[in-house]
């Protein structure tokens, strides 16, 4: 059976923590589908515009060899619809979301991976600001 894995994120200022999670997600199945947060969704979550716009972030994610399908995630409330629409068998996320998606256990397996330590988009932006 072709196992389909779905994950979500903003993936702004792309970094090795993003690569690691996407590689781990891909290792769970045969097809990796990535929902990339829209600019508007990112603003509502983080209260700032992303550095790279949604089309650029989508293009970066799409170009990775272990990513098969990408789409723009427009609403956090639509996770269930996205999981069903893309026929995902597994939802995988970093453990900063631990427990937050357990409600989808009824339609797919839910997996959390440990975050890569000491790197995040927010931290990179703060470091660059100080240079
Ligand atoms: N992620 C990870 N390890 C990191 C940073 C992110 O595993 N060091 C994972 C997150 O858990 C999530 C995905 O990458 O599943 C996308 O995270 P995102 O929020 O886009 O990246 P962050 O670097 O965490 O961004 P921010 O600092 O703006 O929260």
């Amino acid at each position: 059976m072709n196992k389909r894995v779905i994950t979500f994120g903003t993936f702004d200022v792309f970094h090795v923590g993003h690569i690691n999670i996407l590689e781990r997600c891909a290792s769970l199945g045969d097809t990796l589908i990535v929902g990339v947060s829209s600019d508007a969704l990112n603003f509502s979550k983080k209260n700032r515009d992303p550095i790279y716009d949604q089309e650029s972030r989508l293009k970066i994610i799409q170009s990775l060899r272990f990513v098969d399908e990408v789409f723009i995630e427009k609403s956090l409330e639509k996770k269930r619809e996205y999981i069903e629409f893309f026929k995902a068998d597994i939802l995988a996320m970093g453990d900063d979301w631990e427990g937050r998606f357990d409600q989808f256990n009824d339609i797919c397996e839910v997996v959390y991976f440990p975050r890569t330590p000491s790197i995040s988009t927010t931290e990179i932006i703060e470091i660059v600001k100080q240079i």
Side-chain angles (χ1 to χ4, degrees), residues 10-11 15 18 21 46 48 94 96 115-116 119-122:
T10 302
F11 304 104
H15 60 68
H18 294 147
I21 186 115
K46 303 190 177 174
R48 62 168 165 75
D96 42 329
R115 277 172 72 90
T116 301
I119 189 160
S120 76
T121 301
T122 308

Side-chain angles (χ1 to χ4, degrees), residues 77-96:
E77 318 307 319
K78 288 192 174 157
K79 284 243 163 29
R80 182 173 289 275
E81 283 168 51
Y82 291 131
I83 294 166
E84 286 175 342
F85 180 82
F86 287 100
K87 300 192 185 338
D89 303 293
I90 304 172
L91 166 63
M93 296 292 298
D95 65 3
D96 42 329

Side-chain angles (χ1 to χ4, degrees), residues 8 13 72 131:
F8 298 86
V13 189
I72 295 286
I131 292 172

